[in-house]
Amino acid sequence: MNIGGYPSSSSVWSAKFCGCGGDAKTCLITCCLPCVTFGQIAEIVDEGKSSCASQGCVYGLLMMISCHWFYSCVYREKLRKKYGLASEPCCDCCVHFCCDSCALCQEHQELKLRGHDPSKGWIGPPTTNQPPMPPTMYK
């Protein structure tokens, strides 16, 4: 059952935690400029209500005082709730505290596998391959 737009059951992540997001480019960007990857994730999770640039700047500022992991764990929780994902391999804050880059790569890849392109930003819900309904089928 779908309550409040969020799936009610926990499902398994499609992207692996230590799989570098399955994309060397994302892995490299995340290792060198994690604020970019975080900003892209945050923009998609917030459905365009915040920008990649503003979220990336906040993340970058928090990196200066080593608190960025806490901010990114908040967005991991939002992502998990949005897609009904399990808290794996452990709680969100532990995941980001222990390996922030791996967590960001996994979240970035998860969004890609769910039909979003974080590098393009929020452009609306992912499109499906369903044919359009004929005009007579609309209510």
Side-chain angles (χ1 to χ4, degrees):
M1 175 143 229
N2 193 338
I3 300 171
Y6 299 116
S8 59
S9 63
S10 291
S11 61
V12 178
W13 288 78
S14 301
K16 293 181 181 181
F17 178 67
C18 289
C20 289
D23 179 13
K25 179 182 168 188
T26 300
C27 185
L28 180 64
I29 290 170
T30 304
C31 288
C32 297
L33 296 166
C35 52
V36 172
T37 304
F38 175 78
Q40 292 174 348
I41 293 165
E43 183 176 348
I44 300 294
V45 170
D46 285 342
E47 298 180 347
K49 294 179 182 106
S50 64
S51 73
C52 172
S54 65
Q55 291 293 342
C57 286
V58 170
Y59 183 90
L61 290 171
L62 289 171
M63 280 181 74
M64 288 193 243
I65 56 171
S66 298
C67 291
H68 57 288
W69 62 269
F70 182 75
Y71 194 49
S72 53
C73 93
V74 170
Y75 273 88
R76 184 177 180 89
E77 183 179 7
K78 285 182 180 184
L79 178 78
R80 281 192 322 93
K81 285 184 179 180
K82 184 173 191 153
Y83 294 112
L85 297 167
S87 182
E88 293 178 353
C90 54
C91 74
D92 299 328
C93 285
C94 288
V95 168
H96 275 279
F97 182 77
C98 293
C99 193
D100 195 48
S101 295
C102 290
L104 290 173
C105 284
Q106 180 188 31
E107 293 158 17
H108 194 272
Q109 182 66 15
E110 188 70 31
L111 289 171
K112 286 169 100 177
L113 293 172
R114 292 182 181 270
H116 296 285
D117 185 352
S119 65
K120 291 183 180 178
W122 176 254
I123 54 173
T127 56
T128 60
N129 293 331
Q130 297 175 352
M133 290 177 56
T136 57
M137 305 282 296
Y138 292 113
K139 291 184 180 184

